[in-house]
């Protein structure tokens, strides 16, 4: 473990890496979010010592460590789990096709594991239309609001539910938001539609055959 010294000669680059590795483990083993994992990992390594935010790893660094962790310690289970989540997501995306569904997050980028949920983006004139659609299919839902993408003042409604024993989170945007989100270069622009997800599943199936 890297420690702080009186001479303040801490290896900050090494510290970032150590926090990223610890955060990746927390995500893989406990299902922590990136932000929670980063804070908990920093506390585990530094205790109550304060650290400037610029010395914390970003999500890209943590994601890379998560890929390494999965390859080293979850190789026997993670690929199959990822494929299951992708297939389950695809089923729901077909159900929600009228709302232009896109998949985002760990299931898309390939780092999803045992504790991962499925995150979708939908584009509908009203979130109520999506709610009614799901309720008519006898799916119990709960609804929360969260801040929108950068530059959007209106809160985004997110619909949560279980489907095929997996947890889904559907962030519902207005159709006009789609181009704005891409122009804003927001991380939420990293998404895939039904066709792209089908290609990912086919590719993964071929590689594992």
């Amino acid at each position: 473990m890297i420690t702080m010294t009186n001479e303040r000669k801490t290896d900050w680059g090494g510290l970032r890496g150590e926090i990223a590795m610890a955060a990746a483990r927390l995500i893989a083993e406990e299902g922590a979010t990136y932000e929670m994992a980063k804070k908990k990992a920093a506390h585990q390594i530094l205790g109550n010592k304060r650290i400037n935010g610029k010395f914390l790893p970003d999500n890209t660094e943590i994601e890379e460590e998560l890929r390494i962790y999965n390859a080293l310690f979850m190789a026997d289970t993670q690929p199959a789990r990822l494929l299951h989540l992708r297939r389950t997501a695809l089923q729901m995306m077909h159900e929600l096709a009228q709302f232009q569904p896109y998949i985002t997050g760990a299931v898309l980028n390939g780092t999803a594991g045992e504790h991962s949920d499925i995150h979708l983006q939908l584009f509908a004139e009203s979130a109520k239309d999506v709610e009614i659609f799901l309720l008519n299919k006898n799916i119990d839902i709960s609804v929360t609001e969260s801040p929108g993408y950068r530059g959007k003042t209106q809160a985004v409604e997110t619909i949560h539910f279980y489907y095929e024993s997996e947890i889904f989170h559907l962030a519902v945007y207005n159709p006009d938001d789609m181009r704005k989100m891409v122009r804003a270069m927001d991380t939420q622009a990293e998404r895939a539609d039904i066709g792209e997800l089908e290609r990912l599943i086919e590719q993964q199936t071929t590689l594992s055959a």
Side-chain angles (χ1 to χ4, degrees), residues 24 27-28 31-34 59 62-64 66-67 70 78-87 89 102-121 167 169 187-188 190-192 197 200-201 204:
I27 293 169
T33 64
Y34 275 65
N59 288 356
I62 296 173
E63 181 181 314
E64 181 58 30
L66 183 55
R67 293 182 188 281
N70 285 337
Q78 191 268 341
R81 170 65 177 162
L82 173 62
L83 185 59
H84 167 74
L85 287 169
R86 284 177 168 174
R87 286 172 169 165
Y102 287 80
I103 188 166
T104 67
V107 179
L108 171 59
N109 68 34
T111 61
E114 179 183 357
H115 302 285
S116 297
D117 299 341
I118 298 171
H119 294 261
L120 302 181
Q121 291 178 356
I167 300 176
H169 307 281
T187 55
Q188 292 171 328
E190 297 173 2
R191 60 194 183 206
L197 180 56
L200 283 174
I201 291 172
Q204 185 179 354

Side-chain angles (χ1 to χ4, degrees), residues 81-98 100-104 107-108 118-120 122 161 163-164 166 168 170 192-205:
R81 170 65 177 162
L82 173 62
L83 185 59
H84 167 74
L85 287 169
R86 284 177 168 174
R87 286 172 169 165
T88 304
L90 183 62
Q91 291 177 30
M92 179 52 61
M93 289 173 73
H94 278 296
E95 293 283 345
L96 296 166
Q98 64 181 294
Q100 304 180 73
Y102 287 80
I103 188 166
T104 67
V107 179
L108 171 59
I118 298 171
H119 294 261
L120 302 181
L122 304 183
F161 59 88
Y163 175 77
E164 297 293 335
E166 302 298 341
F168 277 76
L170 313 183
D193 62 14
I194 288 175
E196 290 169 330
L197 180 56
E198 287 176 336
R199 285 190 287 275
L200 283 174
I201 291 172
E202 182 180 0
Q203 181 183 49
Q204 185 179 354
T205 303

